[in-house]
Amino acid sequence: MEDVVIYGLLRGGIYAMAAFGFTLVLGVIGVVNFAHGALVVFGGLLTEYLGRMLGLPYPVALAGAACGTGLLAVVAQRFFIARTFKLEPLMVLVQTFGMAAVITELGIQAWGGEERMVRLETGLPPGWFLGETFVPSFDLLIFLVSLASTGLLFLLLSHSGFGRALRACRDRRESAQLCGINLNATFERTMFVSGLWAGLAGGMFVTLGPLAPYMHFTWTVDAFLVITIGGLGSIVGALVGGFIFGVLSFGASFYVPTAAPAVIFSVLLLFLILRPQGLFGTGPALRK
């Protein structure tokens, strides 16, 4: 059990980072972005490509891949999602699902369909024992970086003009427009932040486990489960939801590997029945 909790928490930081963008887009723009998992995978594969083919140091490749993923999300918002949302909001579900298929196919054409992973030499000690559990030093480093990125995103949304505009658009769009807030610009910036953190999540995960284009739907479902547990519209909720989902996922895979998906979705159903707003769900976001 100790191993399950520790490794679940370590991996939960990545799940939380993958869910940040999903909850932002759903809470602010009102779009269930089925292409979000494809953005996570795109960020991871682009990180691997920049490091392997261009020889960039890992931090530079990670930053470049994250920015590239953010720009891809902005392109999707400006030229596809925004136009469809004005005409028929529900059709965006179908549209983002199709975009995920397109991004996946482009990824297969660019990088192939095989699984890829980044191997790094960090110079760190192998790890430390926490009780009787061995904690790899690199896994701990990735976990700390995920916590730092959470703090950075929280500060951005709480103490910046962009964060205030985002909350205004989330709570009441008409009032935000009357105050001079440009909805289209705010939505595009929201998509950029969503893609940026999705790219970071993918770029960090690819150092811990394999990634391939076909994995996009799994990441979308995982992000949805995280915000279902943590609550829509809450960064803290996404972080806590990521930790809970990480422990739940590791525990189910360890104790009942043949029925792990059933156990995870059973817990999801319990959350939807007992606390549909999640642990830290916000009222305005739920009304949307």
Side-chain angles (χ1 to χ4, degrees), residues 91-116:
M91 288 305 296
V92 177
L93 296 174
V94 179
Q95 184 185 51
T96 56
F97 191 85
M99 289 168 53
V102 171
I103 294 174
T104 299
E105 184 59 33
L106 291 176
I108 292 175
Q109 295 298 322
W111 297 301
E114 66 274 11
E115 298 176 351
R116 295 185 180 275

Side-chain angles (χ1 to χ4, degrees), residues 24-25 27-31 70 73-74 76-78 81-82 85-86 162 165-173 176-177 181-195 288:
L24 280 177
V25 171
V28 177
I29 305 177
V31 170
V74 171
Q77 168 65 22
R78 175 175 297 185
I81 296 176
F85 193 80
K86 291 179 181 178
F162 165 69
L166 184 148
R167 292 193 300 275
C169 294
R170 180 196 66 188
D171 294 344
R172 191 173 294 276
R173 295 183 181 182
Q177 286 180 303
I181 296 175
N182 188 322
L183 286 183
N184 290 332
T186 301
F187 290 166
E188 288 179 7
R189 290 167 186 163
T190 301
M191 286 296 292
F192 178 78
V193 172
S194 170
K288 187 178 293 296

Side-chain angles (χ1 to χ4, degrees), residues 16-287:
M17 290 185 65
F20 288 153
F22 195 93
T23 193
L24 280 177
V25 171
L26 181 55
V28 177
I29 305 177
V31 170
V32 179
N33 184 11
F34 280 119
H36 188 75
L39 295 178
V40 175
V41 174
F42 178 84
L45 295 179
L46 184 57
T47 300
E48 190 272 342
Y49 176 82
L50 293 177
R52 176 173 54 85
M53 298 300 295
L54 302 184
L56 297 179
Y58 172 70
V60 178
L62 177 63
C67 291
T69 307
L71 292 176
L72 178 61
V74 171
V75 170
Q77 168 65 22
R78 175 175 297 185
F79 296 104
F80 300 100
I81 296 176
R83 299 183 180 186
T84 304
F85 193 80
K86 291 179 181 178
L87 299 175
E88 182 54 59
L90 288 179
M91 288 305 296
V92 177
L93 296 174
V94 179
Q95 184 185 51
T96 56
F97 191 85
M99 289 168 53
V102 171
I103 294 174
T104 299
E105 184 59 33
L106 291 176
I108 292 175
Q109 295 298 322
W111 297 301
E114 66 274 11
E115 298 176 351
R116 295 185 180 275
M117 189 173 175
V118 173
R119 302 289 186 182
L120 295 176
E121 295 293 336
T122 62
L124 295 172
W128 301 273
F129 278 94
L130 183 60
E132 297 183 356
T133 303
F134 180 77
V135 180
S137 58
F138 189 75
D139 290 54
L140 181 60
L141 176 62
I142 292 294
F143 175 74
L144 294 176
V145 171
S146 68
L147 292 183
S149 74
T150 303
L152 179 62
L153 181 60
F154 184 81
L155 291 175
L156 174 67
L157 299 181
S158 302
H159 303 286
S160 69
F162 165 69
R164 289 188 289 272
L166 184 148
R167 292 193 300 275
C169 294
R170 180 196 66 188
D171 294 344
R172 191 173 294 276
R173 295 183 181 182
E174 295 79 5
S175 299
Q177 286 180 303
L178 290 175
C179 292
I181 296 175
N182 188 322
L183 286 183
N184 290 332
T186 301
F187 290 166
E188 288 179 7
R189 290 167 186 163
T190 301
M191 286 296 292
F192 178 78
V193 172
S194 170
L196 185 70
W197 257 263
L200 285 174
M204 292 167 62
F205 179 83
V206 78
T207 63
L208 302 175
L211 269 183
Y214 69 86
M215 298 179 179
H216 69 95
F217 188 69
T218 300
W219 280 99
T220 299
V221 172
D222 289 348
F224 181 75
L225 293 176
V226 168
I227 67 170
T228 299
I229 296 171
L232 176 62
S234 172
I235 297 302
V236 175
L239 180 63
V240 175
F243 291 153
I244 294 175
F245 178 74
V247 174
L248 176 64
S249 178
F250 265 78
S253 299
F254 182 80
Y255 290 108
V256 283
T258 57
V263 172
I264 293 172
F265 278 96
S266 296
V267 174
L268 169 64
L269 291 176
L270 286 177
F271 265 95
L272 291 175
I273 294 171
L274 301 177
R275 192 172 175 82
Q277 72 271 33
L279 296 176
F280 297 89
T282 57
L286 286 173
R287 288 195 296 271

